[in-house]
Amino acid sequence: QVQLVESGGGLVQPGGSLRLSCAASGSISSFYTMGWYRQVPEKQRELIASITKRGSTNYADSVKGRFTISRDNAKNTVNLQMNSLKFEDTAVYYCAARLDVFGTWNYWGQGTQVTVSS
């Protein structure tokens, strides 16, 4: 059983940056895809960035050009660099891992709060 633990959340002003990290208790090399979701109250969890074991990335339109996902299989970490943060980026951010190309996400972190406020 792999555990995912997010860190790096906090309070930031609009236009600022934060770097989220997701540390896995075991090897992430077996996971085909790692991703970052976010969720605001009363809304569904939204996939905002993902990266495959080959390094292919995908981003939601809402974060494209501002967020960058990276993966370090040697360190068993996945990071999300968030720049030019906006009020609407305020959410709880979750790390997730999926064994297969498609389908169910197998593992989730507990989430880390990001608040963008002046």
Side-chain angles (χ1 to χ4, degrees), residues 11 13 25-26 36-37 41 44 50 52 55-56 60 62 69 92 106 117:
L11 175 64
Q13 291 186 339
S25 59
W36 285 94
Y37 277 76
Q44 283 193 332
S50 63
T52 70
S56 296
S62 57
I69 188 171
V92 178
N106 305 95
S117 176

Side-chain angles (χ1 to χ4, degrees), residues 60-79:
D61 288 342
S62 57
V63 306
K64 200 171 292 182
R66 300 187 297 121
F67 291 11
T68 303
I69 188 171
S70 59
R71 173 174 181 163
D72 189 332
N73 288 336
K75 296 182 178 179
N76 296 319
T77 58
V78 179
N79 298 311

Side-chain angles (χ1 to χ4, degrees), residues 8-10 12 18 20 82 85 89-93 112-116:
V12 63
L18 278 178
L20 303 183
M82 305 187 296
L85 284 162
D89 294 318
T90 295
V92 178
Y93 285 71
T112 185
Q113 176 70 46
V114 171
T115 301
V116 183

Side-chain angles (χ1 to χ4, degrees), residues 14-29:
S17 298
L18 278 178
R19 184 177 177 85
L20 303 183
S21 291
C22 172
S25 59
S27 174
I28 67 169
S29 61

Side-chain angles (χ1 to χ4, degrees), residues 21-108:
S21 291
C22 172
S25 59
S27 174
I28 67 169
S29 61
S30 61
F31 293 116
Y32 190 88
T33 307
M34 302 291 297
W36 285 94
Y37 277 76
R38 68 184 181 188
Q39 188 171 26
V40 297
E42 301 181 354
K43 286 192 175 182
Q44 283 193 332
R45 202 170 287 192
E46 172 193 21
L47 177 63
I48 57 168
S50 63
I51 184 167
T52 70
K53 59 169 56 179
R54 292 181 175 84
S56 296
T57 58
N58 276 292
Y59 298 93
D61 288 342
S62 57
V63 306
K64 200 171 292 182
R66 300 187 297 121
F67 291 11
T68 303
I69 188 171
S70 59
R71 173 174 181 163
D72 189 332
N73 288 336
K75 296 182 178 179
N76 296 319
T77 58
V78 179
N79 298 311
L80 185 69
Q81 178 66 41
M82 305 187 296
N83 299 328
S84 301
L85 284 162
K86 304 176 181 180
F87 292 117
E88 52 264 41
D89 294 318
T90 295
V92 178
Y93 285 71
Y94 297 90
C95 176
R98 187 169 67 199
L99 290 167
D100 297 322
V101 177
F102 302 107
T104 303
W105 291 85
N106 305 95
Y107 298 100
W108 292 88

